[in-house]
Amino acid sequence: PGIPIIGGKGRINLAASIAPVFGIALGPWKGALAALVGASIALVLPSGTPTPIGLLFLPAPVISSLVAGLASSRGGSPYRRAAAPCILGALVAGWYATWVGRAAPLYPVPHIVALALALALWKLPKKARTEYLVPLVSYCGLMADHMYGNLAFIQFAGLFMPVESIPGLPALFMAVLPISVAERLLMTAIASLVGVSLLKAMRVLGIEAGA
């Protein structure tokens, strides 16, 4: 089952909740590749929706995994870890670059919180990067996914809703903001449950997470 896209066509598959876990467990690049392969297979196999809308949102779990992997990275330079807040910052800036964003300036508050968390995680020492940070890292990845979806929805709104309804997009986004926050918190909880358990199991088996 999925979460219906309010005001438009399609559903958000709850499997998208674990996209950040790929980045956390495998590292940003392998995790993003795993998310891309998994999402592509889900798109074309039975019960999938190999449509232009499905392809439009294909990058969303990839971005989620990439941001979570970068934010939780133990290795690499601090500049690589800085990429997570940079991606989130670019997505938030992208919101304000749209006419919808300028008409609904308060909508990205939850995404700005994710940006602040990514900045805080960037400053943490490597030894502090443990499985107990999975909820924070997952939230960052899922909000990056969400903002990409918002921007794609705005740019191709004609695919999702009648053209005459498009001028009401700012009001629609603000009306569903509480639902969007609840949805992302639920997805963060799912990612945390899977991610913390997986990383603890990997530690017991002597497998190093990330890259």
Side-chain angles (χ1 to χ4, degrees), residues 28-29 57 69 84 90 107 112 134 139 144 158 172 178 204:
W29 316 118
F57 290 108
Y107 181 83
I112 294 171
V134 168
Y139 178 78
L172 174 63
V204 169

Side-chain angles (χ1 to χ4, degrees), residues 48-95:
T49 53
T51 64
I53 292 176
L55 291 172
L56 180 63
F57 290 108
L58 186 63
V62 180
I63 293 171
S64 176
S65 181
L66 179 63
V67 168
L70 290 166
S72 63
S73 178
R74 287 175 174 268
S77 71
Y79 298 104
R80 187 176 81 164
R81 294 196 297 274
C86 286
I87 293 171
L88 279 160
L91 289 167
V92 171
W95 172 263

Side-chain angles (χ1 to χ4, degrees), residues 14-191:
L14 284 178
S17 304
I18 62 168
V21 179
F22 300 151
I24 296 167
L26 300 176
W29 316 118
K30 293 177 183 177
L33 178 60
L36 175 61
V37 171
S40 299
I41 291 173
L43 194 64
V44 299
L45 287 182
S47 80
T49 53
T51 64
I53 292 176
L55 291 172
L56 180 63
F57 290 108
L58 186 63
V62 180
I63 293 171
S64 176
S65 181
L66 179 63
V67 168
L70 290 166
S72 63
S73 178
R74 287 175 174 268
S77 71
Y79 298 104
R80 187 176 81 164
R81 294 196 297 274
C86 286
I87 293 171
L88 279 160
L91 289 167
V92 171
W95 172 263
Y96 290 112
T98 68
W99 69 271
V100 177
R102 292 188 292 273
L106 296 181
Y107 181 83
V109 168
H111 307 84
I112 294 171
V113 171
L115 172 58
L117 286 174
L119 286 168
L121 289 165
W122 173 35
K123 295 296 185 180
L124 282 178
K126 291 182 182 180
K127 64 181 179 180
R129 296 171 182 273
T130 69
E131 65 266 23
Y132 300 105
L133 295 178
V134 168
L136 302 181
V137 173
S138 297
Y139 178 78
C140 291
L142 289 166
M143 293 313 292
D145 167 325
H146 188 246
M147 184 52 81
Y148 168 81
N150 292 332
L151 295 175
F153 188 99
I154 292 169
Q155 294 302 317
F156 298 92
L159 293 175
F160 302 96
M161 59 198 309
V163 174
E164 61 271 16
S165 301
I166 291 176
L169 271 178
L172 174 63
F173 272 104
M174 290 306 300
V176 303
L177 180 58
I179 299 173
S180 296
V181 172
E183 163 206 293
R184 292 293 139 168
L185 290 177
L186 171 62
M187 294 172 77
T188 299
I190 294 171

